[in-house]
Amino acid sequence: MNEIVKYKNDFNNQELRKFTAEELNLLMTILHKVRDNGTKILNFSFNELKRLIRLEKNMTIKEFSKTIMNVNKKLLALNYTFQTEELIIQFALFQEFVINTKTQNLTIAVSERFKFLLNEFEPGNWTRFELEEFVRLKSSYTKEFYRRMKQFRSTGFWSVNLDEFKRLMDIPQNYRMCDIDAKVLNPIQKELKAKYGLNIQKVYNTKGRGRPAVSGFIFTFLKEDLQNKNGNNKENRGKETDKDSFVNYFLHRKVRMLDKVTEMFNILTINFIKIKKDGTILIRVQNVDDMYQQNFEFNSIRHFENWFNKYGI
């Protein structure tokens, strides 16, 4: 049976700074192992972790322990935006992270604050992929793109502006477009095009004088047949797939709205969508230039789509 990594979409908003490809493999393996276990204390042997990440290097116990330690060290160095409470807090995914070099075991417990990332998944608000396929990818940029692509697996479409893409992929600020092509997009295309039919379309800013500059990307790829992957009940599968498709299609899309105070237009990103049981839709938008956020509520999907047709860009 394939090992599956699954977490809330919120985790895709976090760039993983300076993680090597090997460290990303180990992190996703750990996320797979602790999923749906709340804050229980769990133990994993080094041999099991090495098998799951398909470790080919002949590492000593000390070297492998250092790799594990680096994963948590880099997680602790991040600032994670906990958007449900609109706070910026220090990222501490694990409340217990103990490496025992004598028994060659790793002991882990997910922190209470962040257990929502790996438990109690709501329709349309989770990312899912096969651990083995993730591990087989060579480039760290491809790995980071792959997990975002899997968020939009039901629509086969991801639109993102250049600045947000550079942030999510942790691309150095001094990279020119030619550098992004050579070091980021080309490796991603090389590894994912054959299986997923990945197509990369550049979006250009045509305003102003001079040569149009790249302002973002539209990525299209093969959709997944979610109805063959989600559960056994056909009726429930259909309802969940419909919600997934709707949320994944509109999440991270942008709207252009007039600020009545400044009388200027703001560009806002939809960063949260929830469909309630009564059909009401809750969304949250955030200004792309700062942390300002605003919530909206709609009576139905049609009500929301009318609003998006008016303001969406």
Side-chain angles (χ1 to χ4, degrees):
M1 183 176 180
N2 290 332
E3 307 282 351
I4 300 298
V5 180
K6 186 175 180 181
Y7 52 75
K8 293 283 184 66
N9 288 338
D10 300 68
F11 193 61
N12 284 336
N13 292 327
Q14 179 63 55
E15 68 275 24
L16 298 178
R17 294 185 181 281
K18 297 180 176 61
F19 279 68
T20 66
E22 200 165 73
E23 289 164 354
L24 287 172
N25 290 343
L26 188 55
L27 174 59
M28 294 305 154
T29 297
I30 291 171
L31 294 185
H32 155 66
K33 298 299 290 184
V34 301
R35 191 190 88 206
D36 292 328
N37 279 291
T39 57
K40 293 179 184 177
I41 297 176
L42 304 169
N43 290 284
F44 313 113
S45 70
F46 283 10
N47 286 336
E48 182 182 14
L49 295 175
K50 288 178 181 179
R51 176 183 64 82
L52 290 172
I53 68 173
R54 304 180 69 85
L55 184 66
E56 297 178 354
K57 297 179 182 178
N58 187 20
M59 279 189 174
T60 64
I61 295 173
K62 183 177 180 180
E63 289 171 336
F64 190 63
S65 298
K66 185 176 181 180
T67 300
I68 297 174
M69 183 178 66
N70 283 341
V71 170
N72 198 42
K73 184 178 180 180
K74 290 177 181 180
L75 285 174
L76 290 170
L78 299 174
N79 284 325
Y80 181 77
T81 304
F82 191 11
Q83 295 185 3
T84 57
E85 295 182 3
E86 301 178 6
L87 298 174
I88 299 177
I89 62 177
Q90 189 68 28
F91 194 107
L93 180 56
F94 305 111
Q95 64 181 348
E96 184 161 341
F97 198 95
V98 180
I99 303 167
N100 190 322
T101 57
K102 183 177 181 180
T103 62
Q104 298 184 46
N105 272 277
L106 172 64
T107 302
I108 287 180
V110 174
S111 68
E112 182 69 29
R113 183 184 286 276
F114 284 100
K115 70 177 182 179
F116 80 97
L117 284 172
L118 300 160
N119 299 270
E120 301 174 3
F121 299 102
E122 299 172 351
N125 190 27
W126 47 268
T127 295
R128 176 191 185 279
F129 54 83
E130 294 179 6
L131 177 61
E132 183 177 359
E133 184 171 42
F134 180 89
V135 168
R136 286 183 181 276
L137 298 173
K138 294 180 175 61
S139 165
S140 59
Y141 283 128
T142 305
K143 291 178 185 292
E144 282 295 87
F145 177 86
Y146 171 85
R147 66 188 183 97
R148 270 92 182 190
M149 181 185 78
K150 285 294 182 176
Q151 178 177 334
F152 302 97
R153 64 201 180 283
S154 64
T155 63
F157 174 92
W158 180 31
S159 175
V160 61
N161 68 45
L162 178 60
D163 289 339
E164 180 69 357
F165 183 73
K166 290 174 71 174
R167 183 187 74 81
L168 292 173
M169 296 293 107
D170 191 27
I171 297 172
Q173 289 300 314
N174 63 348
Y175 269 29
R176 299 168 297 171
M177 196 61 233
C178 60
D179 298 318
I180 295 175
D181 281 334
K183 299 178 182 180
V184 182
L185 296 178
N186 289 347
I188 289 172
Q189 182 87 318
K190 182 178 180 180
E191 292 198 74
L192 298 177
K193 184 174 178 60
K195 181 173 181 178
Y196 290 98
L198 176 65
N199 181 65
I200 302 173
Q201 178 185 341
K202 293 176 181 175
V203 179
Y204 292 87
N205 182 0
T206 57
K207 297 180 180 179
R209 300 177 180 178
R211 184 178 180 181
V214 174
S215 60
F217 305 98
I218 296 175
F219 301 100
T220 55
F221 37 88
L222 296 177
K223 300 178 186 178
E224 284 189 15
D225 184 5
L226 297 181
Q227 290 190 349
N228 290 330
K229 294 190 175 185
N230 296 330
N232 296 315
N233 184 288
K234 289 183 179 181
E235 183 180 355
N236 290 338
R237 284 206 313 263
K239 290 179 180 178
E240 183 170 341
T241 301
D242 289 343
K243 289 183 178 180
D244 280 344
S245 298
F246 175 84
V247 172
N248 287 334
Y249 182 75
F250 286 104
L251 196 63
H252 303 306
R253 299 289 294 275
K254 291 177 173 52
V255 294
R256 184 172 182 265
M257 304 185 71
L258 179 66
D259 186 327
K260 295 181 179 179
V261 177
T262 63
E263 295 186 349
M264 297 178 64
F265 282 96
N266 290 326
I267 305 299
L268 305 111
T269 300
I270 300 174
N271 62 14
F272 174 81
I273 302 177
K274 181 177 182 179
I275 304 176
K276 299 173 69 175
K277 291 182 178 180
D278 63 359
T280 302
I281 298 175
L282 305 177
I283 76 163
R284 182 175 60 238
V285 297
Q286 178 176 314
N287 195 317
V288 297
D289 297 321
D290 54 40
M291 295 300 293
Y292 169 77
Q293 296 185 348
Q294 185 175 353
N295 298 318
F296 293 91
E297 183 173 340
F298 302 92
N299 298 327
S300 64
I301 287 178
R302 177 171 291 183
H303 183 198
F304 166 80
E305 288 179 337
N306 289 339
W307 174 84
F308 187 82
N309 289 336
K310 182 178 180 180
Y311 297 107
I313 55 177

